[in-house]
Every structure is written in structure tokens, then in C-alpha cells.
């Protein structure tokens, strides 16, 4: 299951269906990722991620009802005891500050936030302004580059034979 387990309201129902269709010895694999921001300056990278964490986990995170990605699915009770975790892979991509804001805008938690706070659509401007202030550059958000680093957590568990 590709980065979607955290959207399921009931893991037990999902795992019951997995157990029904997975043949003995078969493997259930799920993964997710937790995006981080990076720039060339380590201190600025720390500040960027403090802002990122505040908005995605604290301000908007409460509108994502099943936020198990924050702790890398460590709170998920997988159905089989033969479990392997691999956290050695990361996806890295270049994106602009404007792209970063577009990513937030595309999330379900942002949409849920807007449903509860229809007059607070300026939250994206807040994030963008704070990121730009940390970067302290003369370029526009559309031309200001960052790296998005997404450490991947892969969990594989095998159904007993």
C-alpha cells in the first residue's frame, strides 16, 4: 500500500481483508514518507523545518484524522509478527517555495482546515512569508529553490505459512 495507510479510519478492517486475500507466506508491504525541507545553510534548514512542522503537524495536522505518518507508522498494530522495517531510502527533489506552498494546498488536511476556517485562507501566505523570511533572499517564491527530502519508511510483514 503506497503512502495511504494513514487515510484508513480502521486498520483492523483493512488487515482482516489483507488476511483474507493474502496467501500463506505472502507479504504485505506498506510505505509512507515524511517530507522535510533543506537548503544550503544548516541553521536555515533547521528553521525551515520548525516552520514546516508547526504548520503541517500542529496547525493543519489536527485536520488529518489519521496522522500515523508523523511517527512513521510505529503506532500501527500490524497483523503478523514477522515484520521488517527499512528506513534507508529517501526521495530528494528540487522545488521552489511556491511549489512547497502548492504541495500544502493539495493536501486533504488543508482542505479540511478550510472547511472549518473558511475565512483563514491566508494560512498559505503565512507559511510562504515565514519560509521566505528565513531564506532571506531577493528572489520571488516562484524562483527560490529548496530541496524536499522525503525519508521513506517501508514496513513489510509476512503472513505465516
Amino acid at each position: 500500500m503506497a503512502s495511504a495507510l494513514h487515510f484508513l479510519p480502521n486498520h483492523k478492517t483493512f488487515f482482516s481483508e489483507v488476511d483474507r486475500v493474502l496467501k500463506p507466506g505472502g507479504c504485505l508491504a506498506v510505505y509512507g514518507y515524511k517530507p522535510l525541507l533543506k537548503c544550503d545553510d544548516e541553521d536555515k534548514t533547521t528553521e525551515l523545518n520548525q516552520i514546516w512542522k508547526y504548520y503541517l503537524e500542529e496547525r493543519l495536522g489536527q485536520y488529518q484524522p489519521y496522522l500515523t505518518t508523523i511517527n512513521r507508522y510505529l503506532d500501527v498494530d500490524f497483523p503478523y509478527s514477522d515484520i521488517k522495517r527499512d528506513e534507508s531510502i529517501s526521495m530528494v527533489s528540487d522545488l521552489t517555495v511556491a511549489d512547497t506552498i502548492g504541495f500544502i494546498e493539495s493536501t486533504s488536511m488543508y482542505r479540511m482546515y478550510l472547511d472549518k476556517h473558511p475565512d483563514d485562507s491566508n494560512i498559505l501566505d503565512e507559511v510562504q512569508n515565514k519560509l521566505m523570511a528565513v531564506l532571506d533572499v531577493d528572489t520571488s517564491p516562484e524562483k527560490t529553490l529548496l530541496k524536499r527530502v522525503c525519508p521513506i519508511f517501508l514496513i513489510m510483514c509476512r503472513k505465516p505459512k
Side-chain angles (χ1 to χ4, degrees):
M1 172 171 278
S3 194
L5 186 62
H6 54 283
F7 287 111
L8 301 178
N10 187 332
H11 295 145
K12 287 183 182 185
T13 302
F14 170 72
F15 290 141
S16 291
E17 185 63 9
V18 166
D19 193 56
R20 187 184 71 77
V21 299
L22 191 63
K23 66 183 183 179
C27 180
L28 166 65
V30 299
Y31 80 88
Y33 62 92
K34 181 179 174 186
L36 302 169
L37 301 176
K38 189 171 183 178
C39 69
D40 294 333
D41 181 304
E42 192 174 313
D43 291 333
K44 288 182 179 181
T45 293
T46 299
E47 285 184 68
L48 291 170
N49 282 300
Q50 287 171 345
I51 294 165
W52 185 251
K53 180 179 178 175
Y54 170 72
Y55 281 97
L56 262 64
E57 293 180 16
E58 295 177 34
R59 287 281 299 277
L60 298 176
Q62 62 186 303
Y63 299 97
Q64 178 83 359
Y66 318 112
L67 261 182
T68 58
T69 57
I70 288 175
N71 65 9
R72 304 175 339 269
Y73 293 162
L74 290 169
D75 62 340
V76 174
D77 188 19
F78 286 92
Y80 309 122
S81 59
D82 183 6
I83 298 175
K84 305 263 187 288
R85 291 184 72 89
D86 184 348
E87 298 187 24
S88 65
I89 305 165
S90 286
M91 296 183 293
V92 180
S93 56
D94 291 325
L95 71 165
T96 66
V97 170
D99 293 334
T100 302
I101 300 307
F103 170 78
I104 296 170
E105 189 173 22
S106 74
T107 65
S108 59
M109 63 186 160
Y110 173 70
R111 298 289 166 205
M112 288 185 234
Y113 176 85
L114 283 185
D115 287 346
K116 300 281 186 191
H117 306 279
D119 297 330
D120 192 18
S121 60
N122 66 341
I123 190 170
L124 296 177
D125 293 333
E126 282 179 40
V127 178
Q128 181 170 285
N129 292 339
K130 288 183 185 241
L131 294 176
M132 292 299 290
V134 168
L135 293 168
D136 192 28
V137 293
D138 295 329
T139 53
S140 69
E142 294 77 18
K143 297 204 184 273
T144 304
L145 284 176
L146 293 170
K147 287 204 179 299
R148 182 173 64 179
V149 180
C150 298
I152 295 171
F153 45 92
L154 170 65
I155 300 97
M156 299 160 286
C157 54
R158 185 168 308 281
K159 183 176 180 177
K161 291 185 178 186

